[in-house]
Amino acid sequence: MDRIRIVGGRRLTGTIPISGAKNATLPLMIASLLTEETLVLDNVPRLADVVLLQRILGNHGVDVMVSGKRPGETADHGQTLHVSAANIVDTTAPYELVSKMRASFWVVAPLVARMGQARVSMPGGCAIGTRPVDLLIMALGRLGADIEIDGGYVVATAPNGLRGGEIIFPKVTVGGTHTAIMAASLAKGTTVIENAAREPEIVDVADCLNKMGARISGAGTQRIVVEGVAKLSGARHAVLPDRIETGTYAMAAAMAGGDIFLQNARAELLQAALDVLQQTGVTVTSTNQGIRIARNGADLVPVEVTTAPFPAFPTDLQAQLMALMTRARGTSRIVETIFENRFMHVQELVRLGARIQLDCERATIEGVERLKGAPVMATDLRASVSLVIAALAAEGETIVNRVYHLDRGFERLEDKLARCGAEIERLSG
Ligand code: UD1
């Protein structure tokens, strides 16, 4: 199993190219199931989750072709995927595959909408909380699907097709909103989705679906209206930049000190997080080409932050902010409202010398003068990158074990940081 070795204390200077967003790529690939024509996706990040979803879709009969490099292209350019679901050969998504990646459960929506049936394993437990799928099932039921739970599988059927309906989410859910939009796109009649998630990735997927011939309006607001169409076609779409990768490197630069440019990053995708960074005393400058982050020696100012659905501070940056606040001058407070149990990084940060107290969904972080390198364990995707951030400012060597979590969501992380001067390397095996 690969590990990452980091020696802290180096400032970061230079440019980091921001990749396409993982959380848009996955539903976009899944949306290919809605059409028999080819969907071409540009700016796709090279991530373990993308490869795994290729395999999962392959099981349904989807062909995914990755374009070769064009002249002048470097590893910094995203990949282009040609995804074709011309022939769906299997409408079952088995436990062995769905349990490896929760988002693959979302195939249930396009499969039942296009094929009239889907048999998809429940995703099962997850390190960051129970993460149920009841609201996704509710949404499909509102569109006329018959739902049964059989042997750990959700069996959704709609032999005569789905029909439009009103879906009111009692809680904001990204996966529920993706599911509802995809299913409603091929339903007969109009669907109204209330209390929809407003995340930029929802807007990106809706934009792509509209290019495919869907009629979706209101994406990015709490009320989305979908006029169902009989058929969708192929399209070409470039994935939007990853706001979580952007925020992560912004916090890494804030932690290590220095001056970096996050190329292709878009400030409006993570304004709440950039506002928090400014409160901590970091200089944030955004341009059409990206975002510059600079911190030159000044102490970090502590902050109080509560995670919430977009446009508020994202749960996917909570662990990274906590790592940063371990070095602030004073006491910070972070409240996690999206996922219970999303504090797996705390005990590992404490191993590096952090002072953090937990009280249910509240973390109190007393800033310390110094962190000290140690062996630590990555527990989930965002938690593991918070350990990297802490290690950048820790004295001596930190070894982050189980980095396969990082590879799920961060493209060439050690490469991007090393090019800006960090002492970081991957130890294979
Ligand atoms: C997506 C993101 C993930 C991010 C999360 C919240 C992807 C691939 N993943 O996950 O990175 O952390 O949004 O921004 O895009 N819930 C229910 N019942 C349901 C569905 C959700 O109670 O049927 C709850 C969840 O337990 C959680 C909250 O709703 O407390 C939000 O979850 P949701 O927005 O659905 O997260 P995901 O779509 O799984």
Side-chain angles (χ1 to χ4, degrees):
M1 249 187 274
D2 287 4
R3 291 164 300 152
I4 286 191
R5 174 179 173 275
I6 300 156
V7 178
R10 299 281 194 91
R11 290 162 63 79
L12 299 181
T13 45
T15 295
I16 296 185
I18 296 302
S19 301
K22 170 179 92 76
N23 283 357
T25 301
L26 303 179
L28 284 167
M29 289 172 71
I30 289 171
S32 72
L33 287 166
L34 288 165
T35 173
E36 52 195 38
E37 294 181 21
T38 301
L39 179 63
V40 181
L41 297 174
D42 294 308
N43 200 32
V44 171
R46 293 172 184 79
L47 298 172
D49 268 7
V50 172
V51 175
L52 180 58
L53 186 56
Q54 274 171 244
R55 267 186 53 210
I56 293 171
L57 292 176
N59 193 56
H60 298 296
V62 177
D63 284 323
V64 181
M65 202 265 292
V66 183
S67 291
K69 266 194 194 162
R70 292 181 207 96
E73 266 187 17
T74 65
D76 291 344
H77 288 84
Q79 335 174 70
T80 295
L81 300 189
H82 298 250
V83 193
S84 165
N87 300 303
I88 294 178
V89 296
D90 194 341
T91 53
T92 296
Y95 177 72
E96 307 81 76
L97 295 175
V98 180
S99 59
K100 291 200 177 105
M101 193 204 322
R102 203 189 128 76
S104 62
F105 180 82
W106 302 345
V107 298
V108 67
L111 286 175
V112 72
R114 179 169 152 202
M115 308 298 289
Q117 58 175 44
R119 191 166 181 275
V120 179
S121 169
M122 312 264 273
C126 173
I128 62 169
T130 47
R131 299 185 86 175
V133 288
D134 55 322
L135 300 177
L136 284 68
I137 294 173
M138 176 278 283
L140 294 174
R142 298 291 299 159
L143 300 183
D146 272 333
I147 309 279
E148 260 181 61
I149 311 291
D150 176 29
Y153 280 72
V154 173
V155 183
T157 45
N160 300 315
L162 297 173
R163 51 176 162 66
E166 188 180 39
I167 301 169
I168 305 174
F169 284 113
K171 185 175 195 178
V172 175
T173 154
V174 172
T177 306
H178 280 309
T179 307
I181 292 176
M182 284 194 244
S185 290
L186 284 185
K188 288 186 198 88
T190 304
T191 297
V192 178
I193 305 167
E194 302 279 4
N195 199 24
R198 291 182 280 164
E199 269 63 6
E201 294 75 21
I202 299 281
V203 180
D204 204 43
V205 174
D207 283 350
C208 177
L209 287 170
N210 282 341
K211 288 181 197 165
M212 293 163 70
R215 295 178 57 198
I216 303 163
S217 57
T221 73
Q222 282 162 319
R223 186 170 193 267
I224 298 177
V225 179
V226 185
E227 306 279 350
V229 296
K231 232 174 164 21
L232 292 174
S233 59
R236 181 161 200 151
H237 183 79
V239 179
L240 91 170
D242 196 314
R243 65 195 164 98
I244 303 304
E245 190 194 27
T246 305
T248 299
Y249 288 123
M251 293 197 203
M255 186 66 153
D259 194 336
I260 63 164
F261 185 66
L262 303 170
Q263 194 174 18
N264 306 325
R266 281 172 32 199
E268 76 274 15
L269 303 181
L270 72 160
Q271 198 55 56
L274 296 177
D275 289 348
V276 168
L277 270 176
Q278 271 177 322
Q279 281 173 38
T280 69
V282 172
T283 305
V284 178
T285 321
S286 63
T287 70
N288 286 344
Q289 279 76 44
I291 305 173
R292 190 182 145 220
I293 304 287
R295 180 166 84 86
N296 293 312
D299 282 340
L300 288 163
V301 177
V303 291
E304 305 214 348
V305 169
T306 299
T307 64
F310 190 86
F313 190 94
T315 175
D316 285 351
L317 286 175
Q318 180 257 107
Q320 297 89 317
L321 178 68
M322 193 180 299
L324 180 62
M325 288 299 96
T326 63
R327 289 292 314 281
R329 185 173 274 275
T331 306
S332 304
R333 286 186 187 80
I334 299 181
V335 182
E336 169 61 55
T337 69
I338 307 287
F339 294 113
E340 81 260 30
N341 202 14
R342 199 177 208 183
F343 283 132
M344 310 287 279
H345 44 287
V346 168
Q347 65 198 42
E348 300 302 298
L349 289 172
V350 167
R351 289 173 56 75
L352 297 172
R355 296 232 303 260
I356 304 169
Q357 278 196 339
L358 282 183
D359 178 12
C360 300
E361 77 286 0
R362 278 164 201 281
T364 306
I365 307 117
E366 300 281 346
V368 293
E369 269 303 296
R370 55 187 208 134
L371 298 173
K372 216 158 174 292
V376 286
M377 188 82 86
T379 48
D380 70 56
L381 175 54
R382 312 302 177 186
S384 53
V385 84
S386 77
L387 302 175
V388 173
I389 291 176
L392 290 173
E395 286 170 13
E397 179 183 278
T398 296
I399 304 281
V400 182
N401 292 291
R402 294 203 187 158
V403 296
Y404 56 83
H405 289 296
L406 278 179
D407 296 333
R408 287 187 43 214
F410 291 92
E411 184 174 3
R412 296 180 297 108
L413 171 112
E414 67 278 15
D415 203 39
K416 291 187 183 186
L417 285 171
R419 283 200 295 184
C420 289
E423 193 171 339
I424 180 168
E425 63 176 335
R426 180 178 289 254
L427 308 173
S428 297

